[in-house]
Amino acid sequence: MKFLTDVNASGALAHWLLEHGYDVLRVADVDPRMEDSKILQWAWREKRIIITTDQDFEEMIWREKRQHEGVLRLENLPRVERLSLLEYVLNHHSQDLVSGAIVIASSRKIRIRKLVSAD
């Protein structure tokens, strides 16, 4: 899986992903003030799943019908808890992410939102 981590996702999270063999790019390494619409375009162009803690990407996808490869929104927890949540999602919901779902992960529940085609 290929990921693009938003600025708010933390460097520790990106480092953990890299250590576990994932292909990861960080928005913070290119432009910490990059607009969300540009991040979404970048992720789409390179077929990367966005990891973030904010809901802006979901809103753009649903309201503006923006193309995407998938989004993982993690609850903004302390670093160790967020890493644990990430590991849980990757172990139990990787297929959802690969299929382009929006996965919303909190300490209490995991929500999977899939776009339904009009066909």
Side-chain angles (χ1 to χ4, degrees), residues 85-103:
L85 186 57
L86 171 67
E87 187 172 13
Y88 178 86
V89 170
L90 292 176
N91 286 333
H92 295 90
H93 299 284
S94 287
Q95 197 56 42
D96 293 312
L97 288 169
V98 169
S99 71
I102 297 173
V103 177

Side-chain angles (χ1 to χ4, degrees), residues 31-72:
D31 180 358
R33 291 186 259 176
M34 187 180 293
E35 295 177 18
D36 288 343
S37 62
K38 300 271 186 211
I39 295 169
L40 194 57
Q41 289 171 350
W42 178 13
W44 170 251
R45 187 174 55 251
E46 294 193 16
K47 307 283 189 237
R48 293 181 179 278
I49 298 163
I50 295 171
I51 300 180
T52 187
T53 61
D54 68 48
Q55 61 189 7
D56 295 343
F57 296 103
E58 297 160 57
E59 291 176 8
M60 284 192 307
I61 290 165
W62 294 108
R63 286 189 192 150
E64 300 172 20
K65 310 263 190 267
R66 300 285 300 267
Q67 294 177 314
H68 67 98
E69 281 298 308
V71 175
L72 170 56

